[in-house]
């Protein structure tokens, strides 16, 4: 190299940079040796320094601890427990940036830095290329415990609160929960960095597919988008998405499946968001022959778990993997972070986990709401049960609304006010929140609910869950009841007939002995929700035994704590409770509610029945609890009948051996 020429250019660059004020950056650009800069950020206690140093070692890069770059006055302030102002941070950030640039021009660098606000990050990375952000997230308890266990750390744990309050979570960063070990975290970071270099395919740009693509686009993933072309109906859908959304402006749009697959390189990763059943079958038949070994398809549809397993079998010989991925959260969840329940080959999951973890919602403990559920179709199975619990919750809220509106003749505003009050308590849930808003909504100056046709719709998951419960012999009658309530609502012909012959009348609570009040409804609502969740988790437990799935209820409840439709304060409690028992109704919190609110359940069922207010799911909960409560059930007669006509046998009650008996009944 002509060093004379080189030093002259350096001289001019220095002169020029005096004007623009960033010598090192210009030098680095000029030398052409700009290497990666990996900022690893988080609040105190997140472990950024230890993990940053380990990552640097693993990647063969330099390491800088940004805390060491603080001016003396900042350190004194922090020691005294005084939070730093933005002004205090400017000279520090400039120094960190300058060190980053010079280190990156030599070797590439990992920098551990709190960088809690977006403006700090903007300042650090402005005009730099090849900058990667890694964010160590976590809940207060983990971080606090870690800080408390440290010796000679100059950041008192009390400042953690102010750091967490200041923290603006970075959208595009690789986000890792701080609870993992150093080795695990470093491995996850490296995997994420590798995957981020790949182009990810999204198929099916309907409501959900488009929202998921935008979610990933916002997080800096490189995407190829594919939608089928139906002449005159669906044309250039992918191109339209790229045009419509800035976060998709760098995505490649396709309506040709061959070109789409080609854009994904040698081991394509494809997220499919199509209607389950025929459409998915048809598309897989087109796609599979085009894929090379190592490809991973993630099926995000609401597929029946057995179909997922059928598809997994179908591709066995192709060395391609198909992961079933239950997605919950609707369009908003898909955009902002859904809950994901994934199953299939574990190694394939590990490969795409960084993508799914970054797509998912984050719960109150800093965990991504994405979990590997187990083998086969277990992810879609768990999503099916999620939807069944959702059916139960929705029906219960509809009944509670019905009792207040019809039985107690309350106006919509008054009902919404009650729901709002409940929402401030441990009854808080996403579904209660939207119900409150719906009840409060006026359309053409009238409560919107007075204008909507009462025929309730359904797709498939509710029926599958009821069918599965029956098939596995798990008494989860609330799912069937919630489903039947929808079927009955849609059976106009029979409804008209019955109304005519049985004299339809108002459902007001005026009958003798019928008393219902708001407090009683609240207690019953609390209890029935617990029973509904009990049945859902019991069905998962039964399926896991039956199908040989190694399923963690803690992980499932944790995933359902955010992003999904059944997220609630109750789910937070269940996630804790499953650490001690697999049975919802055996958790101390739930047991107490079952015991203390049972009398109200009896009273409410009685009053509503006398007043002819339909409460199918509340009654179902009551009837099933009541049966469990009996020392001896009348099912003795069923045993005798079965033996009478079919010689099926029975057992004597006092026979501890349980030998099968048969008598000659005639
Ligand atoms: P949409 O109807 O909005 O979108 C369906 C997508 O699939 C469209 O892009 C459509 O293309 C494409 N498609 C339909 N048939 C075919 C076919 N035969 N071949 C190729 N592509 C086809 O549905 P959603 O986005 O709401 O749902 C997608 C999946 O996500 C479903 O399985 C659904 O159950 C599941 N899901 C939906 C949720 C929701 O809240 N909506 C929540 C969780 C899961 P085109 O535009 O050309 O018709």
């Amino acid at each position: 190299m002509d060093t004379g020429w080189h030093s002259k250019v350096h001289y001019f660059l220095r002169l020029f940079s005096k004007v623009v004020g960033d010598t090192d950056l210009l030098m680095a650009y000029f030398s052409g040796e700009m290497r990666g800069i990996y900022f690893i950020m988080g609040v105190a206690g997140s472990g950024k320094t230890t993990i940053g140093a380990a990552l640097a070692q693993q990647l063969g890069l330099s390491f800088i601890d940004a805390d060491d770059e603080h001016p003396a006055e900042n350190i004194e302030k922090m020691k005294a427990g005084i939070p730093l102002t933005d002004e205090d941070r400017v000279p520090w950030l400039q120094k960190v940036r300058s060190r980053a640039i010079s280190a990156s021009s030599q070797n590439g660098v990992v920098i551990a830095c709190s960088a809690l606000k977006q403006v700090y990050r903007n300042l650090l990375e402005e005009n730099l290329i090849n900058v990667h952000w890694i964010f160590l997230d976590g809940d207060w308890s983990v971080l606090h415990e870690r800080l408390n266990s440290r010796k000679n750390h100059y950041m008192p744990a009390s400042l953690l609160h102010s750091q967490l309050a200041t923290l603006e979570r970075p959208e595009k960063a690789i986000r890792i929960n701080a609870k993992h070990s150093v080795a695990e975290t470093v491995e996850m970071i490296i995997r994420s960095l590798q995957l981020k270099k790949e182009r990810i395919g999204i198929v099916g740009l309907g409501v959900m597919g488009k929202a998921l693509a935008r979610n990933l686009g916002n997080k800096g993933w490189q995407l190829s988008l594919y939608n089928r072309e139906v002449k005159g109906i669906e044309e250039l859908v992918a191109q339209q998405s790229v045009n419509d959304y800035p976060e998709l402006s760098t995505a490649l749009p396709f309506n040709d499946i061959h070109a789409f697959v080609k854009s994904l390189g040698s081991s394509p990763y494809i997220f499919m968001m199509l209607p389950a059943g025929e459409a998915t079958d048809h598309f897989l038949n087109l796609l599979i022959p085009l894929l090379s070994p190592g490809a991973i398809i993630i099926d995000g549809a609401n597929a029946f778990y057995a179909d997922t397993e059928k598809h997994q079998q179908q591709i066995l010989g192709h060395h391609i993997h198909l992961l079933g991925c239950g997605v919950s959260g609707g369009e908003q969840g898909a955009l902002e972070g859904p809950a994901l329940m994934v199953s299939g080959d574990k190694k394939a999951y590990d490969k795409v986990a960084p993508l799914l973890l970054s797509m998912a919602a984050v719960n109150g403990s800093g965990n991504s709401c994405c979990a590997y559920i187990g083998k086969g179709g277990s992810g879609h199975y768990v999503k099916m049960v999620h939807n069944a619990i959702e059916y139960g919750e929705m029906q219960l809220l509809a009944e509670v609304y019905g009792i207040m509106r019809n039985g107690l003749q309350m106006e919509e505003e008054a009902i919404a006010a009650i729901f709002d009050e409940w929402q401030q308590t441990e009854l808080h849930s996403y579904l209660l929140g939207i119900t409150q808003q719906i009840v409060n909504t006026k359309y053409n100056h009238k409560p919107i609910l007075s204008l909507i046709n009462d025929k309730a719709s359904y797709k498939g998951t509710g029926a599958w869950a009821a069918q599965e419960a029956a098939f596995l012999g798990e008494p989860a009658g609330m799912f069937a009841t919630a489903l039947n309530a929808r079927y009955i609502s849609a059976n106009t012909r029979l409804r008209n007939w019955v109304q005519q012959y049985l004299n339809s009348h108002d459902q007001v609570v005026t009958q003798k002995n019928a008393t219902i009040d708001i407090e009683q409804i609240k207690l019953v609502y609390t209890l029935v929700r617990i029973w509904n969740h009990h049945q859902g988790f019991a069905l998962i437990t039964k399926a896991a035994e039956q199908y040989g799935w190694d399923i963690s209820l803690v992980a499932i409840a944790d995933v359902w704590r955010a992003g999904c439709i059944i997220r609630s304060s109750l789910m937070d409690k269940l996630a804790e409770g499953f650490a001690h028992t697999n049975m919802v109704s055996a958790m101390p919190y739930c047991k107490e509610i079952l015991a203390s609110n049972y009398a109200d359940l009896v009273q409410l069922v009685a009053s509503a029945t006398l007043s002819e207010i339909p409460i199918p799911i509340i009654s179902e909960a009551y009837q099933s609890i009541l049966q469990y409560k009996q020392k001896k059930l009348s099912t003795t007669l069923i045993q005798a009948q079965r033996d009478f006509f079919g010689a099926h046998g029975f057992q004597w009650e006092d026979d501890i051996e349980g030998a099968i008996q048969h008598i000659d009944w005639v």
Side-chain angles (χ1 to χ4, degrees):
M1 183 189 284
D2 174 354
T3 48
W5 175 83
H6 205 229
S7 62
K8 269 182 212 152
V9 178
H10 269 232
Y11 169 76
F12 284 115
L13 270 176
R14 275 186 212 288
L15 266 185
F16 173 61
S17 61
K18 277 215 159 107
V19 184
V20 297
D22 215 336
T23 322
D24 294 329
L25 171 62
L26 287 167
M27 298 295 289
Y29 270 128
F30 171 70
S31 65
E33 287 172 354
M34 190 88 177
R35 299 276 199 276
I37 302 175
Y38 300 85
F39 282 108
I40 182 155
M41 57 159 292
V43 296
S46 61
K48 56 187 179 297
T49 311
T50 317
I51 289 160
L55 180 68
Q57 195 186 22
Q58 197 71 316
L59 297 177
L61 306 178
S62 314
F63 174 68
I64 295 171
D65 182 354
D67 276 353
D68 296 342
E69 308 299 317
H70 269 292
E73 44 285 18
N74 283 6
I75 296 179
E76 285 312 310
K77 263 186 144 180
M78 287 190 280
K79 273 186 184 165
I82 305 166
L84 298 180
T85 63
D86 287 350
E87 221 172 30
D88 294 331
R89 285 196 162 86
V90 172
W92 169 63
L93 291 166
Q94 278 169 342
K95 196 169 164 206
V96 174
R97 172 184 165 82
S98 153
R99 287 219 52 200
I101 293 164
S102 62
S104 79
S105 67
Q106 287 155 21
N107 189 29
V109 63
V110 176
I111 302 171
C113 179
S114 48
L116 303 178
K117 290 189 182 175
Q118 189 57 46
V119 282
Y120 304 162
R121 297 189 284 272
N122 292 346
L123 207 152
L124 285 168
E125 72 175 347
E126 198 182 6
N127 296 330
L128 301 187
I129 52 165
N130 208 1
V131 174
H132 308 267
W133 285 95
I134 298 147
F135 170 44
L136 300 178
D137 202 358
D139 71 345
W140 190 88
S141 58
V142 172
L143 302 168
H144 183 253
E145 198 184 313
R146 202 175 279 170
L147 270 183
N148 270 349
S149 66
R150 282 189 196 168
K151 284 190 185 128
N152 304 326
H153 194 273
Y154 58 73
M155 167 74 74
S158 57
L159 275 193
L160 187 57
H161 277 302
S162 78
Q163 285 209 352
L164 283 169
T166 312
L167 175 66
E168 292 165 9
R169 288 180 160 77
E171 273 276 288
K172 289 197 176 164
I174 290 167
R175 202 194 67 85
I176 312 271
N177 193 311
K179 71 180 180 180
H180 299 289
S181 73
V182 175
E184 280 169 344
T185 306
V186 169
E187 197 196 319
M188 285 193 268
I189 294 170
I190 291 174
R191 257 200 220 141
S192 303
L193 289 168
Q194 275 165 353
L195 193 65
K196 273 225 151 162
K197 288 189 207 145
E198 305 289 337
R199 189 168 280 284
I200 308 295
I202 309 278
V203 167
L205 299 169
V207 175
M208 293 296 283
K210 201 184 298 169
L212 288 174
R214 292 180 60 200
N215 174 338
L216 291 173
N218 275 325
K219 289 172 181 154
W221 291 87
Q222 304 179 71
L223 304 173
S224 283
L225 309 177
Y226 170 82
N227 202 86
R228 68 172 175 176
E229 189 87 347
V230 183
K231 281 279 167 248
I233 305 171
E234 299 287 347
E235 292 184 9
L236 299 175
V237 175
Q239 180 64 59
Q240 198 55 48
S241 300
V242 169
N243 297 346
D244 288 349
Y245 302 104
E247 60 274 35
L248 295 178
S249 60
T250 58
L252 300 179
F254 295 93
N255 55 7
D256 174 73
I257 190 170
H258 293 84
F260 165 71
V261 172
K262 206 166 166 207
S263 76
L264 300 174
S266 55
S267 17
Y269 303 134
I270 297 171
F271 200 108
M272 245 177 19
M273 216 48 199
L274 302 177
E278 241 174 70
T280 298
D281 287 352
H282 174 71
F283 184 75
L284 282 176
N285 287 337
L286 294 178
L287 179 68
I288 291 166
L290 307 180
L291 298 179
S292 43
I296 298 173
I297 304 167
I298 307 158
D299 179 7
N302 269 334
F304 186 50
Y305 80 99
D307 286 343
T308 309
E309 295 184 345
K310 179 188 80 184
H311 294 142
Q312 287 167 341
Q313 289 299 319
Q314 184 186 345
I315 56 168
L316 260 188
H318 297 261
H319 303 287
I320 295 168
H321 291 291
L322 184 136
L323 298 170
C325 179
V327 179
S328 173
E331 186 182 13
Q332 194 193 1
L335 182 61
E336 293 169 5
L340 303 175
M341 296 135 254
V342 196
S343 66
D345 183 81
K346 177 68 166 65
K347 284 194 184 133
Y349 170 77
D350 287 340
K351 274 201 181 138
V352 292
L355 174 83
L356 301 174
L357 291 166
S358 96
M359 179 196 277
V362 177
N363 68 26
S365 302
N367 294 335
S368 268
C369 291
C370 166
Y372 174 75
I373 302 294
K375 290 187 295 183
S378 55
H380 277 139
Y381 197 99
V382 166
K383 171 68 203 304
M384 172 191 82
V385 176
H386 165 285
N387 285 19
I389 295 174
E390 180 185 306
Y391 268 59
E393 289 271 282
M394 289 168 75
Q395 176 61 27
L396 177 59
L397 278 163
E399 290 177 21
V400 163
Y401 163 76
I403 298 168
M404 291 186 193
R405 182 70 195 93
N406 303 321
L408 301 183
Q409 301 275 288
M410 287 168 67
E411 295 296 333
E412 263 72 12
E413 286 90 345
I415 299 172
I418 299 288
F419 286 165
D420 192 33
E421 218 179 287
W422 292 2
Q423 188 67 341
Q424 315 311 320
T425 69
E426 58 188 15
L427 286 174
H428 187 280
S429 75
Y430 167 76
L431 278 170
L432 177 61
I434 65 161
T435 303
Q436 188 272 338
Q437 281 184 42
I438 292 166
V439 173
N440 225 3
T441 300
K442 294 250 187 325
Y443 192 84
N444 286 339
H445 312 292
K446 289 191 181 129
I448 194 160
L449 287 177
S450 67
L451 304 172
I452 294 179
N453 188 300
D454 65 2
K455 276 189 234 167
S457 313
Y458 45 86
K459 280 198 174 156
T461 45
W464 293 337
Q467 180 185 316
E468 265 294 308
F471 175 66
L472 295 180
E474 182 58 37
M478 291 172 83
F479 305 152
T481 302
L483 186 68
N484 285 333
R486 293 191 191 192
Y487 292 162
I488 291 171
S489 77
N491 192 339
T492 315
R493 198 153 156 254
L494 192 53
R495 283 178 70 184
N496 287 341
W497 189 92
V498 174
Q499 280 164 31
Q500 210 179 323
Y501 288 91
L502 289 182
N503 288 335
S504 174
H505 63 77
D506 291 343
Q507 308 160 8
V508 189
V509 182
T510 51
Q511 303 299 311
K512 217 172 143 212
N513 300 329
T515 53
I516 295 179
D517 62 44
I518 296 296
E519 184 56 19
Q520 186 187 50
I521 299 172
K522 183 181 176 189
L523 295 172
V524 170
Y525 174 63
T526 311
L527 183 156
V528 178
R529 287 188 68 216
I530 287 174
W531 202 241
N532 183 40
H533 284 73
H534 167 90
Q535 295 199 345
F537 282 100
L539 178 56
I540 293 173
T541 306
K542 190 65 152 283
E545 284 163 18
Q546 182 76 20
Y547 303 129
W549 294 329
D550 184 15
I551 279 184
S552 154
L553 296 185
V554 178
I556 293 170
D558 209 42
V559 163
W560 289 349
R561 285 177 59 200
C564 74
I565 304 295
I566 58 170
R567 61 187 187 261
S568 67
S569 301
L570 174 61
M571 199 61 78
D572 292 344
K573 287 193 170 25
L574 301 187
E576 277 174 36
F578 283 128
H580 310 287
T581 171
N582 267 355
M583 205 160 68
V584 170
S585 54
M587 293 177 191
Y589 168 79
C590 298
K591 251 187 342 197
E592 211 172 284
I593 287 169
L594 286 174
S596 64
N597 300 8
Y598 177 74
D600 293 283
L601 177 63
V602 178
Q603 181 60 49
L604 185 92
V605 170
S607 298
T609 306
L610 285 173
S611 311
E612 292 193 59
I613 302 168
I615 47 162
I617 205 156
I618 295 175
S619 307
E620 171 61 32
Y622 164 64
Q623 285 298 337
S624 74
I625 296 170
L626 182 61
Q627 289 175 73
Y628 282 114
K629 198 168 163 277
Q630 302 310 305
K631 287 219 167 66
K632 183 152 179 151
L633 289 163
S634 57
T635 40
T636 47
L637 179 61
I638 291 170
Q639 283 302 80
Q641 287 165 335
R642 291 182 79 247
D643 192 53
F644 190 107
F645 62 69
H648 293 298
F650 59 87
Q651 294 157 308
W652 295 123
E653 192 168 54
D654 56 2
D655 177 5
I656 359 168
E657 303 289 320
I660 302 297
Q661 309 292 333
H662 168 63
I663 62 165
D664 191 359
W665 292 93
V666 277

